Each structure stands twice: as C-alpha cells, then as structure tokens.
Amino acid sequence: MNVAFRLDASVAIGSGHLMRCLALADALRDHGASVLFILRCDIEALQAEVITRGHACRLLPALATDWCEDAEQTAACLADFPRQQCFVIDHYQLDARWESRLRPLVERIMVIDDLADRAHDCDVLLDQNLNQDLQQRYLGLLPASCRQLLGPQFAMLRPEFVLQRKQLRPRDGQVERLAVFFGGTDPGAETLKVLTAIEALQASGKRLQCDVIVGAANPQRDAVQQMCRRNEQMQFYCQINNMAERMMAADLCVGAGGTALWERAVLGVPSLVVAIADNQVSATATMAEAGTLLYLGRSEDIDSVHVQRALGFALSNPWLLSSLSRRSLELVDGQGLARVAACVLGQ
C-alpha cells in the first residue's frame, strides 16, 4: 500500500502536524506501507527525522502564491511515485478546492483537522480533539459518504506512550518533579516564562526538580540552557527520543496544547496548559471543563507572574492534581493510533 502525506512545518507553524503524521506513518510502515511526505519545512532537523524513519520525502519550493499553485506543485511530486492508495492531508490552509484538484491522482483522501472552519472533499475526516459539539462540528462541510473519526479515542500517540501507560504509578498529587515542554519550536518563549516562575517559587523555599525539554529548532534554546546551567535543580534536554519516559517521571507538567494534551493525558500526568496557537484554544478549554487539566489561557495573555501563581495554587492542592490525573486516564486509552491506522489500511 502507498500512502502520501501533505503538511508543513516551520518555526512559526511548529512541528505538531509533522509529529502526529509521523506517528501514523510509522504505524503504516510497520504494516508494510510505503510512505511519502510532501511538505514545506525550513527546519533541517525535522527533514532529517522523516528520512531517518525510512520515509520518502519531497520538499516543496518556497510558499505558493495560492492554493492552485500549491496543488500543481503537489501533483508534480505525486507524479514521481506510484499511485497512492491514500493521501493524508494535515494543513489548515487547504480545503475542498485543493482536495478536489488532487482527487483524480489518488484513490482515497483523509483529512486531519481541528478547526471545522472550511469544507473538505475527503473520504475520511479525523479530528482527535474533545469538543462540546463533537458530532455537529462538521455538518455541511463534508461529503455525505465521509467517515468521521472524532474525539480522543482517535488520538494518535506514539508507541512509547502506550508502553509507558502499562507502567502507570499512583499519583497522589504531591509534586517533587516538574516537566516543562512547549513543543518543537516554542515561538512565544513560553519556556523562559515558566522557568522564571519556577525560580521565583524556588527562591520562596519550594524544592522543585525540573526537567526542561526543548526542540532543536527552539529559537531560545541557548537562553534556556543557560538558565538551567545556573540552577542545579533544573535538567536541560534537547530533541530527546524518550519523551514518554520524561513525562512519566513528572508529577506535574507545564506545556502547550495540541498533541501534547493527549501525551500527558494517556499517562495521567496533571498539567498546566498555555495555548500557544489559536487552534489550541477550543480543545484545551474543553479539556479543562472536563476536569483533565488547568488552562492558563493564551500565550499572549500570560507572563511569568501568572504562571507562578498558577503553579503555587496547583502545588497547594494535591487533591486537585490527583483528580486531574484520574480524569485524564479515563479520557484517553492510548489505542487511537491503532484505530486510525486500521481505517487507513481498510481494516
């Protein structure tokens, strides 16, 4: 089976689209599929990640002037490979017009979306987020025959998280170790805000060990590392391959929305979350209403003082953190990737 993916990744966009598609691509590869990635990506480490995992990769030229040019460039890439049985599109700027243009070149189209703000011409629609209007979100936006995979039961998590879930430990809400991670790029410098807040708490007498994790493309990587070097209670990690292990070791996480919501939830790690992109707001707020996390707000509205107060509140309420952990485990079972892969493979 041949499966192609179309997405983009950059410092501004982040690496979330790529990482969730890589999880699916790896699962399909393990079932014998040949995978092709077609993308715009200005981060060499992410380009290398695709190739290292054994997938074909074609980089598109500089940003297209419109969707028509993008469709032509993508079609040219597809023409260099055997016909694709499934074409997976994870891109907020592409819609039914683009998909209809590419449809004759592939057998099936699957769209990954979080926004429900545009029409799609697809056979399968995946939205793994928790939303209050889950069953109504895409009314009028999809073909009548489209199969919808909706909700956290389809959250695509890497196998390492599923394996770690089998080793769950009791969480009583007591916090000795924090984990801080704001995605592969962290364009809003949230990590530095959080570390400033943690230092203030430490200065007031709180003994907190902290694992600080950044991606190789983080523009503030050096500044974060310098902060960690002068604080013996902070451990700095860059572009790690054992994220699930680091999350499991934490008693409390501070991070972004997006795929990380499900990574923390499947391990029952209570978390404080900042939305670092508009598309993260709705799902994060709904998760907070469901009692699975504490939502601090949008990146632009949050500073280190806000984070310090929120952390102080969380640390003083272990019963709340314990409850967040239990509700998270109930929401995400870790089998979403297998369910999505089975759909793509026609099982």
Side-chain angles (χ1 to χ4, degrees):
M1 182 177 190
N2 300 312
V3 182
F5 288 80
R6 172 71 183 93
L7 56 113
D8 290 342
S10 67
V11 173
I13 296 172
S15 60
H17 297 276
L18 177 59
M19 298 316 294
R20 66 184 177 187
C21 286
L22 273 173
L24 177 57
D26 289 350
L28 296 171
R29 177 204 60 205
D30 292 345
H31 283 84
S34 296
V35 177
L36 164 66
F37 276 84
I38 301 173
L39 71 162
R40 290 187 173 84
C41 178
D42 56 7
I43 304 173
E44 292 185 1
L46 295 181
Q47 299 171 21
E49 185 73 16
V50 174
I51 297 169
T52 298
R53 297 197 191 193
H55 308 306
C57 181
R58 289 294 181 270
L59 294 176
L60 295 177
L63 188 63
T65 56
D66 58 24
W67 69 267
C68 292
E69 183 179 6
D70 191 295
E72 292 174 2
Q73 293 171 347
T74 302
C77 289
L78 288 173
D80 291 334
F81 291 84
R83 185 174 176 83
Q84 304 296 313
Q85 277 70 54
C86 187
F87 192 17
V88 181
I89 302 150
D90 188 355
H91 201 299
Y92 295 146
Q93 275 69 57
L94 303 179
D95 59 18
R97 298 170 299 173
W98 188 97
E99 293 148 9
S100 296
R101 185 72 62 89
L102 275 295
R103 179 172 282 286
L105 305 182
V106 299
E107 294 187 11
R108 288 189 300 148
I109 291 177
M110 172 179 170
V111 168
I112 301 175
D113 194 12
D114 308 304
L115 304 180
D117 64 349
R118 63 204 187 282
H120 291 293
D121 179 11
C122 59
D123 303 286
V124 180
L125 185 287
L126 167 64
D127 184 339
Q128 61 189 0
N129 288 301
L130 180 68
N131 287 284
Q132 292 179 337
D133 59 344
L134 195 60
Q135 300 303 321
Q136 308 298 319
R137 294 195 83 206
Y138 292 92
L139 282 178
L141 298 178
L142 304 173
S145 60
C146 179
R147 179 179 178 184
Q148 299 182 50
L149 309 180
L150 305 176
Q153 65 175 314
F154 297 104
M156 297 190 296
L157 298 170
R158 301 191 301 277
E160 64 175 293
F161 287 91
V162 180
L163 291 174
Q164 284 292 330
R165 184 182 172 93
K166 296 177 181 178
Q167 306 172 40
L168 289 177
R169 59 183 176 87
R171 296 185 182 275
D172 60 6
Q174 299 296 326
V175 178
E176 296 182 358
R177 180 174 290 275
L178 296 171
V180 179
F181 176 59
F182 280 91
T185 58
D186 186 14
E190 306 309 311
T191 303
L192 291 173
K193 295 179 190 177
V194 173
L195 297 191
T196 300
I198 291 172
E199 284 190 334
L201 288 170
Q202 291 172 334
S204 68
K206 298 284 187 183
R207 290 195 58 80
L208 294 170
Q209 296 294 321
C210 186
D211 292 335
V212 184
I213 306 163
V214 302
N218 188 319
Q220 297 85 35
R221 180 181 61 184
D222 292 341
V224 171
Q225 187 172 19
Q226 290 173 11
M227 249 181 124
C228 293
R229 280 176 175 169
R230 68 171 185 252
N231 189 321
E232 62 181 14
Q233 296 182 68
M234 292 181 179
Q235 295 292 321
F236 175 81
Y237 299 92
C238 181
Q239 203 66 34
I240 61 175
N241 58 11
N242 64 335
M243 181 66 75
E245 183 181 345
R246 295 266 59 87
M247 293 295 103
M248 178 67 88
D251 302 307
L252 176 66
C253 291
V254 187
T259 300
L261 291 176
W262 317 120
E263 295 175 348
R264 295 184 294 256
V266 76
L267 300 180
V269 187
S271 58
L272 276 61
V273 181
V274 177
I276 64 173
D278 290 343
N279 64 291
Q280 295 182 1
V281 173
S282 176
T284 305
T286 304
M287 289 277 283
E289 292 171 5
T292 65
L293 56 82
L294 297 179
Y295 176 40
L296 305 191
R298 296 172 180 262
S299 167
E300 58 268 27
D301 299 326
I302 301 299
D303 58 23
S304 61
V305 175
H306 289 102
V307 178
Q308 181 182 344
R309 289 172 179 167
L311 274 171
F313 172 77
L315 296 174
S316 300
N317 290 279
W319 62 269
L320 175 58
L321 299 186
S322 181
S323 175
L324 296 178
S325 177
R326 290 194 303 271
R327 296 296 295 273
S328 294
L329 289 171
E330 293 169 358
L331 185 66
V332 184
D333 66 3
Q335 300 304 308
L337 179 60
R339 296 184 181 107
V340 176
C343 177
V344 173
L345 293 168
Q347 299 175 355

